[in-house]
């Protein structure tokens, strides 16, 4: 049988989101649940993929299937498409598998032309409504299908309003709207050198095609990349009978969440507008009313709606974000989906739903997106500083957080400033999907218009960016880049601060303080810890980082990069002295200066971790990284070292390598200069002995990690030096101390020969940064310049340095783990690359059976949750 590309809503259900998209699957599900959903059908994601496979053409077969379903829809609705007597109008709505709010475009009121609009006017006895629908349709169609910007049409609307001396579009009468339609069509012809299409079927197919096309528009591509959505998913298209919220004062439209998406409070939360359609609520054209008011205006519809929202939340077992329209007092549901929420709301909702018995702990854990936790780990305003700060105005607390930065007035400036390292707050009249990159770059977003469900609010909450919306006191001039409020003027270089939890706006920089894991966050994390199998360690090079990570729940350190300690003040001098040394004696003298510093650092790190395991990696980078490159610095160093400039230059040029990443680094340094490994061993062991003396209950067992090993003999050679040095110190001190020696697996050859290497190594830590670059054969530093071409041309979709390449690099990891365990069944296995903090890579580590992942301190809670989810999902 030929593939089926179109499904009536009756044929679908909630589990078919891959095929029908989230919107289509949920519309079908709501219909199955007996809820009032306007009839319609869904053109599948497979049809979208077929469209691209057919060189951007909708095949004859698919068009025929659409037309068949259109006939069914006519029958179900008792209306006729294109008929002036009893017209069927439809909406054409995109809907991908994952919800992409505001990313794809919707066309409403499709099926209108000059005859049909007259019919609609007569039928409804409401010509104003008919022409309002028509002008909206022309505007949306021209925008979405033909790419004529909505803004240009807004100018026409403004002109008409001005001529009439009115402010709101509801104040325009039928004649004004007729004039508007006429002007829109003229404008359309003028711009596109073609008449507005009058055949509804042609309109429909063009609209479907436009939705398919919108899957590849730059906004959608950017959103997909940000959220790891592959382009192969495609989008579905929903064609649905229109219901009208713009029929007059007994009609309206709104959006609502079953719980507060900003705080998580268990109370219906939403907004609506009477006599309005579609996006009016979120576009911020008129300020909407809160949902409670609906109770007074239309008690019956309100009650029915409340009832449905409860059913939906219980059914989906998650907070729902819903769209509804009321047509002449009759309620219709137009969408439901799991609502986007702030991180703190997500945790409150998870904890509440477990307490309410709606979710098990496992289900609650799976409901929270690990990467969202990041928002809770960043600073909040310092209470005292906040008290002293001047509130210049107040808006709606649309997305919590503390934002401080310089004011910028458009997305482009926000991006530029953020790239240059500045913190900025984006101030806009209102935001649109084009602003999304700028919103991500900014610390916070402040909008003059728009409610709690406006574009800015929804997108900011999704991204975890602080947002204050609907700040009506502000007069902003985006062109000339300034805003005024209560007699104050702010331009581009002024600082403001936003409190996304109160809606307060401050006219200055406000100090912030670090975050803590308390309350619901703490409860939730303790549940997550119950289920996880993987331990979570941190990569920390300083006592400060170690302390932070310990607070965030790190169970050890998976990687201390010792070289990072060498760059400050006196240390860099000592290490340079070591590098330019000509004899072993000179080198040992220089190393002796480094020893106490390094030992002191290790002591502090052990103490910060309260006796948890600490893996210390020996010197890894090529030595030339420590030497100056500028002429004046070279001269200064030569003087300091008491050597000739030419001499020093010779040393530097001797150290020059064509490809330093593959040069004299890692264990190769210890093989050339064993005294470096000796000094580091002395520091590691003595520090452990000292701390164990002070804190006997810590029982520190240092883990010494030799980097960049590709052969068993390399490790054996360095290990011998480590053992001789360590055992001597331990014997001299007459103490008991155990320690481990292991290696990083970061060279493909080491992965291939892991069974041999495990004869020497007591643990492996997968250094997936180097392992990725050596497996791919391109370096992390250079790949940036061409990987963009790979993404653009869809050769690659993911950055292998951010997300573990499970197919290739992952295969090496898996093989090395198996081989290592063959030789040494109790070998400890961990990962310490960037991937150790990436949720999908963590799931991979869980499946391979590693003992721990190690990541930067701020990702520790994320890793704890991701590891828990991996364990629950793979039970
Ligand atoms: P988005 O994914 O951007 O929310 P939607 O497809 O949900 O886009 O539609 C945009 C707006 O149009 C929403 O407010 C929605 O409720 C409204 N809408 C969509 N289809 C219909 C319809 N058949 N009748 C009335 N309103 C509709
Ligand atoms: Mg929607
Ligand atoms: Mg940001």
């Amino acid at each position: 049988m030929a593939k089926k590309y179109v499904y009536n809503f009756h044929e679908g259900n909630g589990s078919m989101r891959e095929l029908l998209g989230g919107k289509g699957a949920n519309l079908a599900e709501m219909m199955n649940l007996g809820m009032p959903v306007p009839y319609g059908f869904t053109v599948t994601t497979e049809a979208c993929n077929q469209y691209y496979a057919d060189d951007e053409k909708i095949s004859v077969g698919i068009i025929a299937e659409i037309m068949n379903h259109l006939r069914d829809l006519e029958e179900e609705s008792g209306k006729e498409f294109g008929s002036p007597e009893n017209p069927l109008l439809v909406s054409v709505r995109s809907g991908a598998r994952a919800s992409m709010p505001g990313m794809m475009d919707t066309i409403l009121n499709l099926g209108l032309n000059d005859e049909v609009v007259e019919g609609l006017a007569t039928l409804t006895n409401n010509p104003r409504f008919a022409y309002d629908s028509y002008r909206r349709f022309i505007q949306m169609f021209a925008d979405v299908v033909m790419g004529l910007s909505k803004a240009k049409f807004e100018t026409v609307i403004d002109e008409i309003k001005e001529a009439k001396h009115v402010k709101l579009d509801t104040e325009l009468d039928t004649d004004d709207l007729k004039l508007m339609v006429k002007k829109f069509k003229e404008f359309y012809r003028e711009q596109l050198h073609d008449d507005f299409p009058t055949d509804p079927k042609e309109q429909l197919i063009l609209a479907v095609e436009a939705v398919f096309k919108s899957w590849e528009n730059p906004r959608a591509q950017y959103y997909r990349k940000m959220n790891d959505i592959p382009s192969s998913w495609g989008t579905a298209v929903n064609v649905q009978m229109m219901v009208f919220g713009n029929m007059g004062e007994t009609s309206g439209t709104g959006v609502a969440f079953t719980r507060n998406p900003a705080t998580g409070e268990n109370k219906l939360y939403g907004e609506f507008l009477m006599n309005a359609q579609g996006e009016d609520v979120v576009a911020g054209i008129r300020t909407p009313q809160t949902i409670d008011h609906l109770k007074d205006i239309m008690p019956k519809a309100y009650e029915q709606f409340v009832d449905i929202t409860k059913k939906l939340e219980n059914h989906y077992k998650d907070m729902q974000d819903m769209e509804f329209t009321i047509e002449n007092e009759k309620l219709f549901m137009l969408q439901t989906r799991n609502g986007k929420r702030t991180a703190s709301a997500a945790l409150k909702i998870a904890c509440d739903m477990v307490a309410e018995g709606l979710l098990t702990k496992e289900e609650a854990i799976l409901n929270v997106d690990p990467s969202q936790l990041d928002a809770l780990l960043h600073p909040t305003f310092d209470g005292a500083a906040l008290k002293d700060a001047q509130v210049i105005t107040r808006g709606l607390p649309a997305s919590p957080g503390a934002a401080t930065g310089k004011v910028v007035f458009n997305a482009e400036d926000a991006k530029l400033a953020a790239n240059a390292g500045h913190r900025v707050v984006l101030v806009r009249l209102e935001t649109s999907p084009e602003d999304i990159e700028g919103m991500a770059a900014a610390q916070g977003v402040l909008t003059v218009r728009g409610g709690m469900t406006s574009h800015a609010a929804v997108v900011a909450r999704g991204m975890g960016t602080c947002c204050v919306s609907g700040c009506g006191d502000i007069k902003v001039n985006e062109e000339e880049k300034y805003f005024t409020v209560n007699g104050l003027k702010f331009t581009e270089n002024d600082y403001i601060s936003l409190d996304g939890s109160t809606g307060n706006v401050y006219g200055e920089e406000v100090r912030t303080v670090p975050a803590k894991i308390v309350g619901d966050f703490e409860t939730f994390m303790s549940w997550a810890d119950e289920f996880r199998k993987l331990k979570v360690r941190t990569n920390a090079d300083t006592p400060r980082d170690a302390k932070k990570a310990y607070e965030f729940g790190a169970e050890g350190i998976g990687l201390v990069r010792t070289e990072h300690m060498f760059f400050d003040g006196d240390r860099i001098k000592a290490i340079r002295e070591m590098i330019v040394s000509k004899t072993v004696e000179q080198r040992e003298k220089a190393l002796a200066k480094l020893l106490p510093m390094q030992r002191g650092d290790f002591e502090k790190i052990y103490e910060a971790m309260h006796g948890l395991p600490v893996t210390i990696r020996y010197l890894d980078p090529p030595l030339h990284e420590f030497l100056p490159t500028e002429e004046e610095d070279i001269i200064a160093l030569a003087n300091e070292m008491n050597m000739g400039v030419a001499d020093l230059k010779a040393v530097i040029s001797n150290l020059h390598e064509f490809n330093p990443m593959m040069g004299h680094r890692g264990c190769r340094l210890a093989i050339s200069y064993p005294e470096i490994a000796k000094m580091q061993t002395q520091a590691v062991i003595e520090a452990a002995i000292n701390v164990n003396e002070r804190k006997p209950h810590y029982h520190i067992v240092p883990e010494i990690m030799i980097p960049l090993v590709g052969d068993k003999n390399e490790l054996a050679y360095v290990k011998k030096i480590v053992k001789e040095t360590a055992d001597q110190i331990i014997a001299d001190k007459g103490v008991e101390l155990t320690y481990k020696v292991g290696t990083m697996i970061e060279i493909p050859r080491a992965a291939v020969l892991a069974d041999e290497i495990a004869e020497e190594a007591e643990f492996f830590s997968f250094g997936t940064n180097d392992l990725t670059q050596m497996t791919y054969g391109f370096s992390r530093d250079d790949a940036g310049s061409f990987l963009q071409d790979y993404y653009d041309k869809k050769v690659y979709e993911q950055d292998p340095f951010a997300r573990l390449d499970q197919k290739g690099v992952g295969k090496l990891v898996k093989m090395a783990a198996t081989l290592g365990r063959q030789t040494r069944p109790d070998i400890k296995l961990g990962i310490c690359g960037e991937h150790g903090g990436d949720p999908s890579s963590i799931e991979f580590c869980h499946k391979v059976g590693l003992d721990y992942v190690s990541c930067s301190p701020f990702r520790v809670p994320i890793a704890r949750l991701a590891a828990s989810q991996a364990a629950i999902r793979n039970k």
Side-chain angles (χ1 to χ4, degrees):
M1 212 184 82
K3 199 179 242 168
K4 182 173 162 65
Y5 285 108
V6 186
Y7 286 73
N8 189 301
F9 287 168
H10 282 298
E11 297 174 289
N13 66 59
S15 69
M16 294 168 73
R17 57 187 311 133
E18 290 188 14
L19 190 62
L20 304 179
K23 198 177 284 167
N26 285 341
L27 283 166
E29 187 78 8
M30 284 199 286
M31 199 166 247
N32 293 340
L33 290 170
M35 293 172 182
V37 176
Y39 297 113
F41 57 84
T42 305
V43 186
T44 65
T45 53
E46 287 178 352
C48 176
N49 288 336
Q50 194 56 47
Y51 168 78
Y52 283 103
D54 292 339
D55 292 324
E56 310 202 9
K57 273 215 172 68
I58 309 182
S59 73
V60 180
I62 293 177
I63 291 181
E65 233 181 300
I66 294 174
M67 290 306 155
N68 279 336
H69 278 82
L70 187 64
R71 270 190 292 282
D72 292 348
L73 185 57
E74 288 177 326
E75 230 160 77
E76 283 176 316
S77 63
K79 300 180 183 192
E80 207 180 316
F81 199 53
S83 144
E85 277 77 52
N86 185 19
L88 169 68
L89 301 189
V90 296
S91 65
V92 177
R93 321 171 64 185
S94 64
R97 211 193 284 188
S99 90
M100 294 168 66
M103 285 298 107
M104 314 292 264
D105 296 304
T106 293
I107 300 171
L108 302 179
N109 312 324
L110 187 139
L112 283 171
N113 57 31
D114 290 353
E115 288 79 51
V116 175
V117 72
E118 272 304 315
L120 187 66
T122 316
L123 188 76
T124 58
N125 201 14
N126 191 342
R128 188 193 179 281
F129 149 73
Y131 278 90
D132 181 52
S133 304
Y134 196 18
R135 67 96 185 167
R136 287 170 187 268
F137 170 52
I138 297 172
Q139 199 177 345
M140 281 185 268
F141 186 92
D143 174 32
V144 178
V145 180
M146 297 300 173
L148 269 188
S149 126
K150 270 201 196 104
K152 298 203 179 122
F153 288 99
E154 293 295 334
T155 323
V156 177
I157 299 177
D158 287 343
E159 279 165 15
I160 296 177
K161 281 190 201 163
E162 233 159 76
K164 253 208 117 170
H165 307 290
V166 300
K167 276 221 170 92
L168 298 174
D169 39 356
T170 42
E171 293 169 292
L172 297 173
D173 63 22
T174 310
D175 287 335
D176 301 325
L177 292 166
K178 279 187 178 168
L179 176 67
M180 199 183 288
V181 164
K182 189 167 159 269
K183 290 205 164 182
F184 277 5
K185 285 202 290 188
E186 279 168 15
F187 181 67
Y188 184 100
R189 188 178 314 116
E190 194 182 292
Q191 293 288 316
L192 299 168
H193 310 291
D194 202 357
D195 283 322
F196 190 80
T198 53
D199 174 6
K201 286 187 176 149
E202 185 191 342
Q203 293 170 354
L204 178 63
I205 296 303
L206 284 170
V208 170
E209 177 169 8
V211 175
F212 286 159
K213 273 201 168 52
S214 74
W215 179 246
E216 290 298 347
N217 76 27
R219 280 187 271 146
Q221 288 191 18
Y222 177 77
Y223 187 89
R224 282 208 295 275
K225 209 151 160 251
M226 221 163 83
N227 292 281
D228 296 324
I229 297 170
S231 75
S232 62
W233 282 5
T235 180
V237 187
N238 300 290
V239 178
Q240 186 174 30
M241 182 182 111
M242 281 303 299
V243 290
F244 300 101
N246 56 338
M247 265 197 184
E249 289 309 318
T250 54
S251 302
T253 181
V255 297
F257 294 81
T258 53
R259 303 186 187 219
N260 186 315
T263 65
E265 188 195 2
N266 187 2
K267 181 169 179 263
L268 186 64
Y269 177 92
E271 293 171 328
F272 73 98
L273 268 179
M274 298 309 289
N275 197 11
Q277 188 175 52
E279 309 277 59
D280 291 359
V281 180
V282 294
I285 294 166
R286 277 182 279 153
T287 301
Q289 288 179 283
T290 60
I291 196 86
D292 325 331
H293 286 94
L294 191 59
K295 197 194 289 183
D296 310 328
I297 304 174
M298 273 184 272
K300 265 178 80 186
Y302 176 78
E303 227 163 85
Q304 187 192 2
F305 181 64
V306 170
D307 189 51
I308 286 176
T309 65
K310 289 193 178 135
K311 277 201 187 123
L312 284 174
E313 186 177 275
N314 286 329
H315 182 73
Y316 286 101
K317 291 180 155 209
D318 200 351
M319 184 262 264
Q320 295 299 295
D321 165 1
M322 302 149 299
E323 292 172 1
F324 65 94
T325 282
I326 297 172
E327 176 181 313
N328 282 329
E329 304 203 18
K330 190 169 163 12
L331 173 74
F332 291 94
M333 295 302 294
L334 288 170
Q335 188 170 347
T336 192
R337 61 184 169 208
N338 296 340
K340 301 239 180 240
R341 65 207 77 177
T342 65
S344 56
L347 295 178
K348 178 164 170 50
I349 290 170
C351 290
D352 286 354
M353 284 186 169
V354 171
E356 289 159 24
L358 186 59
L359 297 181
T360 62
K361 282 186 199 172
E362 283 103 317
E363 287 169 332
I365 288 165
L366 291 177
N367 266 5
V368 177
D369 174 5
S371 49
Q372 240 197 330
L373 298 182
D374 188 55
L376 296 174
L377 302 173
H378 292 290
T380 51
F381 286 125
D382 175 296
L386 202 60
K387 256 204 197 121
D388 295 339
Q390 195 67 34
V391 177
I392 50 167
T393 182
R394 196 163 284 151
L396 300 168
S399 175
T404 281
K406 284 186 190 176
V407 179
V408 289
F409 292 90
N410 62 57
E412 193 56 33
D413 287 351
K415 265 196 300 183
L416 290 176
N419 285 341
H422 299 295
R423 297 197 295 176
V424 294
V425 175
L426 178 62
V427 180
R428 303 278 293 158
L429 200 54
E430 62 201 358
T431 66
S432 68
E434 282 79 30
D435 293 328
I436 186 156
E437 287 184 68
M439 293 176 71
Q443 303 294 310
V445 182
L446 173 63
T447 70
V448 178
R449 293 191 195 152
M452 295 287 282
T453 53
S454 64
H455 175 268
V458 171
V459 173
R461 280 198 293 270
M463 300 195 296
T465 298
C466 166
C467 175
V468 172
S469 66
C471 208
D473 291 345
I474 288 181
K475 303 265 165 302
V476 58
N477 187 329
E478 292 179 351
E479 295 284 288
E480 290 172 33
K481 302 190 178 175
Y482 69 83
F483 74 80
T484 55
V485 62
N486 301 325
L488 299 167
K489 182 172 175 180
F490 290 83
T491 61
E492 265 191 309
N493 282 318
D494 296 325
Y495 276 89
I496 60 168
S497 300
L498 309 178
D499 186 336
S501 315
T502 60
N504 284 345
V505 181
Y506 301 87
E508 61 201 276
E509 211 175 348
V510 181
R511 194 172 60 239
T512 55
V513 290
K516 281 211 168 65
I517 300 184
V518 289
D520 287 332
F521 194 2
E522 195 180 10
T523 310
F524 182 82
M525 291 311 295
S526 74
W527 293 346
D529 289 343
E530 283 173 32
F531 297 98
R532 98 188 129 82
K533 299 276 187 303
L534 279 170
K535 295 256 179 212
V536 175
R537 294 196 188 186
T538 190
N539 298 345
D541 306 333
T542 62
R544 206 181 101 234
D545 284 356
K547 239 174 109 191
K548 180 99 271 170
Y550 184 80
E551 279 167 30
F552 286 160
E555 297 164 297
I557 297 185
L559 177 64
V560 179
R561 303 176 189 84
T562 47
E563 60 272 13
H564 285 190
M565 303 170 169
F566 290 148
F567 283 99
D568 306 345
D570 287 346
R571 302 173 174 209
I572 188 82
K573 276 191 208 154
I575 192 136
R576 283 170 172 171
E577 198 180 315
M578 178 204 75
I579 293 169
V580 301
S581 297
K582 295 216 166 96
T583 65
V584 175
E585 291 71 38
Q586 276 179 336
R587 199 170 303 114
E588 281 177 343
K589 215 177 108 210
L591 284 165
K593 292 187 190 163
L594 286 169
L595 173 67
M597 304 176 195
Q598 187 131 82
R599 187 174 52 213
D601 287 337
F602 292 154
E603 286 180 20
K604 288 198 202 105
I605 288 177
Y606 291 145
E607 282 180 348
M609 294 313 288
H610 300 254
L612 292 170
V614 173
T615 304
I616 292 168
R617 181 181 71 182
Y618 279 12
L619 192 63
D620 183 57
L623 296 181
H624 80 97
E625 281 191 12
F626 296 102
L627 293 179
T629 49
E630 302 292 320
E631 181 77 16
E632 49 187 310
D633 299 336
I634 294 173
I635 295 170
L637 180 64
N639 289 339
E640 222 167 87
M641 300 275 139
N642 257 332
M643 62 195 291
V645 173
D647 244 10
L648 177 57
K649 281 190 176 167
V651 172
I652 295 174
S653 84
N654 269 340
L655 285 174
H656 171 82
E657 292 175 314
F658 285 104
N659 192 345
M661 289 319 289
M662 306 241 247
H664 199 186
R665 56 174 285 226
C667 66
R668 298 159 198 164
L669 291 172
I671 289 171
S672 304
Y673 312 114
E675 46 291 357
I676 300 179
K678 270 190 210 155
M679 183 282 284
Q680 293 204 288
T681 304
Q682 200 179 341
V684 167
I685 298 295
E686 288 177 356
I689 293 174
N690 292 347
V691 175
N692 276 342
E693 243 165 47
R694 289 200 288 272
K695 305 261 165 73
H697 59 287
Y698 279 1
H699 303 295
I700 291 164
V701 179
E703 298 174 352
I704 293 169
M705 181 152 75
I706 311 301
L708 219 73
V709 164
D711 190 282
K712 178 184 141 185
N713 288 340
E714 288 176 298
L715 180 58
Y717 179 85
V718 183
K719 186 177 165 187
K720 187 160 166 282
I721 297 163
V722 170
K723 279 199 109 59
E724 281 169 7
T725 313
D727 293 347
Q728 187 66 51
I729 298 169
I730 294 167
D732 288 351
K733 298 247 173 180
V735 292
E736 297 235 343
L737 182 80
T738 43
Y739 60 91
K740 293 194 168 121
V741 182
T743 185
M744 274 178 108
I745 301 290
E746 52 188 333
I747 291 183
R749 190 174 193 275
V752 174
L753 296 175
D755 47 348
E756 286 187 15
I757 290 175
E759 288 168 20
E760 294 292 336
E762 291 169 275
F763 63 85
F764 286 167
S765 176
F766 291 97
T768 47
N769 296 343
D770 263 314
L771 190 58
T772 299
Q773 76 184 351
M774 306 239 195
T775 301
Y776 275 89
F778 51 63
S779 92
R780 196 154 48 133
D781 308 308
D782 297 329
S785 66
F786 57 82
L787 277 184
Q788 193 53 48
D789 297 336
Y790 275 56
Y791 303 143
D792 291 347
K793 296 180 182 170
K794 301 231 161 56
V795 178
Y796 289 169
E797 286 203 67
Q798 288 299 335
D799 174 359
F801 293 107
R803 162 164 292 188
L804 189 74
D805 155 46
Q806 299 186 9
K807 235 163 105 189
V809 179
K811 198 171 188 175
L812 286 171
V813 170
K814 215 166 152 176
M815 174 167 72
T818 309
L819 290 174
R821 285 206 174 103
Q822 259 169 32
T823 305
R824 194 187 283 268
D826 64 344
I827 191 168
K828 252 222 189 132
L829 303 174
I831 178 175
C832 63
E834 288 305 307
H835 306 97
D838 167 61
S840 83
S841 311
I842 291 171
E843 178 153 6
F844 172 81
C845 294
H846 171 89
K847 286 193 198 147
V848 175
L850 300 192
D851 297 297
Y852 69 85
V853 296
S854 188
C855 56
S856 62
F858 278 93
R859 286 169 116 184
V860 166
I862 297 169
R864 282 163 69 195
L865 177 54
S868 177
Q869 293 184 341
I872 293 169
R873 265 200 291 267
N874 296 283
K875 233 189 212 151

